[in-house]
Amino acid sequence: MDATLPPGWPAAVRPPGAPDWEHTAVVWLFDLVPPDYRAHEVLRRYPVLLARFARDHVAAGLEAARAGWRTVRVELADDLPPDAMEAAMAAYEREGARLAAAARGVDAVGGALRGERWVPRL
């Protein structure tokens, strides 16, 4: 991790100020949202708005993963064998961790797109 980047900065996005950094941010953000979002010219034109859409989409996915983890044992107890249930729980945990990391990245990238600069604390 580069000490000049905020925690959670996505590896696929170049640091703010680097050549084409905003382009790499837009590509990464579009990878987080449904493909149909690419049809909206306003999201390509205003990356800060794309970051907002991505934040909302990732947050909804994270909440869905958390709700699934909390309820899958009860809702599918009679439909899945124990090994499948454990695999389902593990999948929800991995997806939750992935989405939590994406949410941290979206917050960091969104802030940079708005001109915020991260300063490490001593």
Side-chain angles (χ1 to χ4, degrees), residues 20-32:
D20 293 330
W21 90 267
E22 286 189 10
H23 174 74
T24 64
V26 167
V27 169
W28 182 76
L29 290 166
F30 269 126
D31 284 346
L32 294 176

Side-chain angles (χ1 to χ4, degrees), residues 60-76 80 84-100:
L62 182 56
E63 181 52 38
R66 288 174 175 161
W69 186 88
R70 286 190 309 267
T71 61
V72 70
R73 284 190 189 275
V74 173
E75 291 178 7
L76 297 178
L80 294 176
M85 186 60 72
E86 292 309 313
M89 297 297 291
Y92 273 123
E93 288 172 7
R94 284 190 306 274
E95 187 61 7
R98 183 190 74 80
L99 289 166

